[in-house]
Amino acid sequence: MSDFRDWLEKATKGDSAMKVAEKAGINYTTFYTHKRDDKISTDEIIAIARAYGVPIIEALVRAGVISRDEVEQGKDIRSYSVFELCRAIMWRTEHGLDKDDADSTNTFSRAMSK
């Protein structure tokens, strides 16, 4: 959870637990206890990210709620560069895959990890 603690410190600009709870609209005592015990809830993470105007997805990744791989699975094709798309096409070609025999949920991720 230290990666998340680092993120929380940076995202909240070092605000106290009381200020974070107030700004995020969450109960201070509950938040303080969860923070101390490294058990901040997903709802609290989302509320903090929204309150501080930081990306919710990054907060959830840093907290270990979701993985970067899971985020990549939902990535819109328009967000990839031409280079990344060409690399994925080349990988599919090299591995003899066509549209009928590839698992579309992770083929692109496998290609991009090479």
Side-chain angles (χ1 to χ4, degrees), residues 2-15 20 31 35 40 44-45 48-49 52 62:
S2 66
D3 189 39
F4 179 71
R5 281 183 181 259
D6 293 343
W7 174 88
L8 184 63
E9 184 73 19
K10 185 177 177 184
T12 62
K13 299 171 182 68
D15 285 350
V20 171
F31 172 66
K35 183 179 177 206
I40 299 176
E44 290 168 326
I45 294 165
I48 293 165
Y52 284 88
R62 298 288 289 270

Side-chain angles (χ1 to χ4, degrees), residues 58-76:
E58 182 63 20
L60 295 172
V61 169
R62 298 288 289 270
V65 175
I66 58 174
S67 70
R68 294 225 182 264
D69 287 342
E70 290 169 315
V71 172
E72 291 294 317
Q73 288 177 5
K75 194 172 178 182
D76 187 301

Side-chain angles (χ1 to χ4, degrees), residues 34-94:
H34 289 171
K35 183 179 177 206
R36 181 193 66 209
D37 298 341
D38 283 333
K39 294 182 179 179
I40 299 176
S41 74
T42 303
D43 289 340
E44 290 168 326
I45 294 165
I46 293 170
I48 293 165
R50 285 182 176 149
Y52 284 88
V54 296
I56 294 170
I57 297 298
E58 182 63 20
L60 295 172
V61 169
R62 298 288 289 270
V65 175
I66 58 174
S67 70
R68 294 225 182 264
D69 287 342
E70 290 169 315
V71 172
E72 291 294 317
Q73 288 177 5
K75 194 172 178 182
D76 187 301
I77 195 163
R78 292 172 289 186
S79 64
Y80 289 101
S81 70
V82 171
F83 175 77
E84 290 172 317
L85 293 170
C86 289
R87 199 163 104 191
I89 291 167
M90 291 301 298
W91 185 88
R92 289 177 56 88
T93 301
E94 289 170 4

Side-chain angles (χ1 to χ4, degrees), residues 92 96-104 107:
R92 289 177 56 88
L97 299 175
D98 65 23
K99 67 179 189 299
D100 295 330
D101 62 5
D103 177 1
S104 62
T107 300

